[in-house]
């Protein structure tokens, strides 16, 4: 299929190389047929891709600092990888890996740093257990696992990428203290129950988790709230970039199809009413993509110590909301442009349509993000000197 | 006083530059001269316009209006990105920028295509507000279909003789000069045979300027009539008969101006303040305002990308100006209608302390944003056909 190359330039050679390497690899290993097999329930389909992503390019080590044995990449590199994986409708563990790496690295805890080094060395699939339906990104607003003398107790209805993880990083509370419960699923037999949950996105199955009894390993955190808010913000940016990729694929597909399919003796893309719908999807996508990489660059600056989470958090929220809308519009318009073919199982657009239904909701719906962006602006407005508005007499 | 955060990793030099600019504005720019978004200072009263023209000249003298120009023409030799950061702050502070056609459209073309004599004659005067420019493109019979324009400029010795009419010319009521797109090859049709000419409106016999009163109540446009108006040959910009390409570049510069997005950020911040001051803000209102902030910040992110690209490579993606134009023009309408919705019947009397604007004026100006610089539909076609490769 001829492709229209969408998307702006990467800023560094490393980012360009990562994008190109992933594109080559995904073109070779992951076709629409593979995605369909996965959608048909064949859980073995992604195994080869997963092995190559893990062993050949060690995607799990992308965000792990070099001194802990990783690639030393930042949020922008995570966004690049997520966009390409999303564009290919490829399953991956990028969300869980990225969030786990950031959480363990930014904790400042020597024991957790050792743990992260082992995760990279042994290729341990890890996931952060943050309630997927939470929009607050605030440790004090969720229900972490409670740890008492009798052991741990907690329940999460939807968690992303936990089902096939070997290490779970669970927000936990012991008395007045907040921290982490580490669950090594290769060792914990009793007390941890993971079960598949119904979900829209076959590329990212959701699981439910129940923890009960003396299980896991407690680690107190020095700045638990900051660490978790940052981690969820990173997850939101990764999800946004993945949706940007999925939307890109929809736009490329529908533009190509509209340039080929003929009705009334001319290509359907020559009809302004249809052409403008495709352009509208592109315009929304361009804006959301720019915001996503701006948020990713802001997050990277924060990791380097030159930006604050208070400024990065609203950017991550805006990126997530804009990317959600962009994917919703692109996938729906794509189905429409294809006509009834777009509604078939054979045409892979439904994967993007369904991905929107899940990814737009994980860590808060667009509406939830917008409410919080506004609240952030209200707090800032209160802090500004002067500029008061009034009704003129 | 408030300033705009970029969320970008600025260099120490850039951060210091913006701090210095904000201190400068605190000292020299009183809030009573803050202007409404969607407007241009040329539409204001004579007194207000004169104050702003003088202030703009001062900004230029003090090095704030053309930081990206070469030093020989009064610039600081900085990057387009630096210029964008400065313009964003000026917009956010609601500093009305006069002479936008001269500064942001003609000047980049002169720097690129102009002769040394043309640059020497005009660039400094543009910056210092000694030459105020307008742009003569649209005609009574040529709007979106711009290349059907009929105004002719026929070579006669050392002059072009101009006949025809231009309309919807913003800034013309205050302008001394016009950058005119006219047909220099009378046998030509469409985009071939057009040229760009610089016309001295006030000293050329045969030029008449008629003001047009718009729905806002003010004069916002003019119509000009040319009757055997003689323009010296040395006022041709770029190659003869190839003015369409140059004019496309000029329009692209018009569309990628970052100022709009930053002005909208100020608008939405002011709206948040107004809404908070009135009442408890319910959830639906918070979502609507949050969505508006998001749309503005997305547009800003895109203009940062374009400015970065321009600074690093001297180019930007061919469809970028049209994407930016569509985003900003929709913002202009949606944001002001949200303001009317949230402020209700108070919208006509609601205003910032001491400021020279209110949300109702912005509402009135907003329809222009969907038309000016090419209609939204034209930009859809530019993207659809030239970028996505779809048939017309």
């Amino acid at each position: 299929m001829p492709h229209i190359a969408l998307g702006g330039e990467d800023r560094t050679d490393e980012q360009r190389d990562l994008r190109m390497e992933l594109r080559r690899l995904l073109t070779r290993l992951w076709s629409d047929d593979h995605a369909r097999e996965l959608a048909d329930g064949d859980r073995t389909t992604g195994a080869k891709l997963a092995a190559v992503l893990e062993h050949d390019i060690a995607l799990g080590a992308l965000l792990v600092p070099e001194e802990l044995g990783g690639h030393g990449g930042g949020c922008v590199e995570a966004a690049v990888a997520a966009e390409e994986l999303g564009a290919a409708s490829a399953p991956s563990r990028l969300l869980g890996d990225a969030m786990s790496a950031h959480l363990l690295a930014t904790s400042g805890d020597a024991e957790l740093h050792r743990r992260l080094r082992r995760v990279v060395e042994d290729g341990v699939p890890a996931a952060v257990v943050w309630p997927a339906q939470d929009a607050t990104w605030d440790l004090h607003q969720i229900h972490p696992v409670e740890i008492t003398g009798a052991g741990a107790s907690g329940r999460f209805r939807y968690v992303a990428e936990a089902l096939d993880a070997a290490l779970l990083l669970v927000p936990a509370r012991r008395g007045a203290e907040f921290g982490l419960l580490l669950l090594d699923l290769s060792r914990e037999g009793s007390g941890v129950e993971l079960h598949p949950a119904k979900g829209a996105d076959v590329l990212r199955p959701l699981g439910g988790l129940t923890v009960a009894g003396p299980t896991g390993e407690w680690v107190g955190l020095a700045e638990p709230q900051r660490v978790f808010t940052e981690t969820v913000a990173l997850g939101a940016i990764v999800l946004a970039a993945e949706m940007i990729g999925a939307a890109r694929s929809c736009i490329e597909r529908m533009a190509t199809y509209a340039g080929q399919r003929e009705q009334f003796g001319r290509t359907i893309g020559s009809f302004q009413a249809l052409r403008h719908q495709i352009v509208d999807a592109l315009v929304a996508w361009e804006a959301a993509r720019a915001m996503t990489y701006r948020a990713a660059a802001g997050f990277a600056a924060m990791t380097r110590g030159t930006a604050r989470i208070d400024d990065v958090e609203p950017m991550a929220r805006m990126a997530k909301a804009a990317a959600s809308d962009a994917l919703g519009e692109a996938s729906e318009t794509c189905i429409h442009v294809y006509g009834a073919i777009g509604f078939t199982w054979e045409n892979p657009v439904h994967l993007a349509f369904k991905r929107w239904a899940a990814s737009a909701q994980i860590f808060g719906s667009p509406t939830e993000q917008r409410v919080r962006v506004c609240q952030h602006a209200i707090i800032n407005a209160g802090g500004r000197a002067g500029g008061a508005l009034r009704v003129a007499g | 006083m408030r300033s705009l955060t970029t969320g970008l990793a600025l260099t120490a030099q850039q951060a210091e530059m913006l701090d210095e600019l904000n201190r400068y504005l605190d000292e020299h720019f009183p809030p009573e001269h803050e202007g409404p978004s969607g407007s241009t200072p040329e539409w204001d009263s004579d007194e207000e316009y004169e104050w702003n023209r003088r202030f703009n000249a001062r900004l230029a003298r003090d090095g704030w209006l053309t930081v990206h120009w070469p030093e020989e023409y009064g610039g600081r030799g900085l990057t387009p990105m630096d210029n964008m950061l400065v313009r964003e702050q000026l917009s956010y502070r609601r500093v009305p920028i006069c002479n936008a056609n001269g500064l942001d459209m003609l000047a980049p073309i002169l720097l690129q295509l102009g002769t040394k004599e043309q640059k020497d004659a005009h660039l400094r005067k543009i910056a210092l507000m000694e030459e105020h420019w307008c742009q003569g493109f649209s005609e009574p019979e040529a709007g979106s279909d711009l290349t059907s324009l009929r105004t002719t400029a026929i070579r006669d010795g050392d002059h072009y003789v101009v006949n025809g009419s231009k309309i919807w010319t913003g800034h013309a009521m205050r302008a001394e000069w016009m950058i005119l797109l006219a047909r220099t090859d009378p046998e030509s049709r469409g985009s071939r045979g057009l040229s760009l000419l610089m016309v001295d409106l006030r000293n050329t016999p045969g030029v008449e300027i008629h003001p047009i009163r718009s729905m806002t109540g003010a004069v916002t446009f003019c119509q000009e009539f040319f009757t055997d108006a003689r323009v010296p040959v040395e006022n041709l910009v770029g190659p003869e008969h190839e003015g369409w390409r140059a004019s496309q570049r000029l329009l692209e510069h018009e569309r990628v101006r970052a100022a709009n997005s930053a002005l909208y950020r100020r608008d939405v911040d002011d709206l948040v303040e107004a809404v908070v001051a009135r009442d408890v803000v319910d959830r639906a209102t918070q979502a609507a305002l949050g969505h508006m902030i998001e749309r503005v910040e997305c547009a800003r992110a895109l203009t940062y990308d374009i400015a970065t690209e321009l600074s690093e490579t001297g180019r930007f993606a061919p469809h970028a100006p049209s994407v930016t134009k569509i985003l900003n023009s929709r913002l202009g309408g949606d944001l002001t209608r949200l303001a009317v919705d949230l402020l209700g019947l108070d919208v006509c009397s609601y205003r910032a302390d001491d400021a020279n604007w209110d949300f109702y004026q912005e509402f009135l100006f907003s329809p222009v944003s969907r038309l000016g610089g090419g209609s939204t539909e034209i930009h859809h076609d530019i993207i659809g056909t030239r970028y996505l490769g779809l048939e017309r």
Side-chain angles (χ1 to χ4, degrees), chain A residues 279-288 290, chain B residues 255-256 261 298-299 302-303 306 317-331 376 378-380 382-384 387-388:
Chain A
V279 171
D280 276 334
L282 175 72
V283 168
W285 177 81
E286 289 279 5
Chain B
R255 290 161 195 155
V256 297
S261 320
C298 284
L302 204 59
T303 49
I306 294 169
H319 67 307
S322 294
V323 171
T324 311
K325 172 67 178 50
I326 292 172
L327 287 169
N328 277 328
S329 64
R330 286 184 175 157
L331 268 171
T376 306
I378 290 295
H379 288 291
H380 277 77
I382 290 174
I383 297 169
Y387 184 61
L388 292 178

Side-chain angles (χ1 to χ4, degrees), chain A residues 8 14-15 34 50 112 149 154 169 182 190 194 198 219 228 234 266 289 300 339 353:
Chain A
E14 289 78 13
Q15 287 157 18
H34 289 103
L112 292 179
L169 311 173
L182 299 180
S190 61
L194 259 172
K198 268 191 178 174
V219 181
F228 276 107
L234 171 67
R266 45 202 280 213
R289 184 178 193 267
F353 193 63

Side-chain angles (χ1 to χ4, degrees), chain A residues 267 275 280 286 370 387 390, chain B residues 273 294 319 353 380 391:
Chain A
T267 59
R275 184 164 73 232
D280 276 334
E286 289 279 5
R370 287 163 188 153
R390 62 180 166 79
Chain B
E273 261 188 37
E294 170 198 321
H319 67 307
D353 278 340
H380 277 77
E391 280 183 277

Side-chain angles (χ1 to χ4, degrees), chain A residues 253-313:
Chain A
R253 284 171 195 270
M254 67 175 143
T256 304
Y257 185 74
Q260 292 168 345
R261 165 80 173 167
E262 292 190 6
Q263 289 288 277
F264 304 103
R266 45 202 280 213
T267 59
I268 58 173
S270 70
F271 296 109
Q272 216 174 33
L274 196 73
R275 184 164 73 232
H276 287 193
Q277 289 183 54
I278 300 173
V279 171
D280 276 334
L282 175 72
V283 168
W285 177 81
E286 289 279 5
R289 184 178 193 267
M291 188 68 227
T292 298
Y293 282 95
R294 183 177 171 208
F299 193 95
M302 181 191 74
T303 316
R304 291 193 304 270
T306 54
R308 297 173 324 128
I309 181 64
D310 287 354
D311 294 325
V312 174
E313 184 189 324

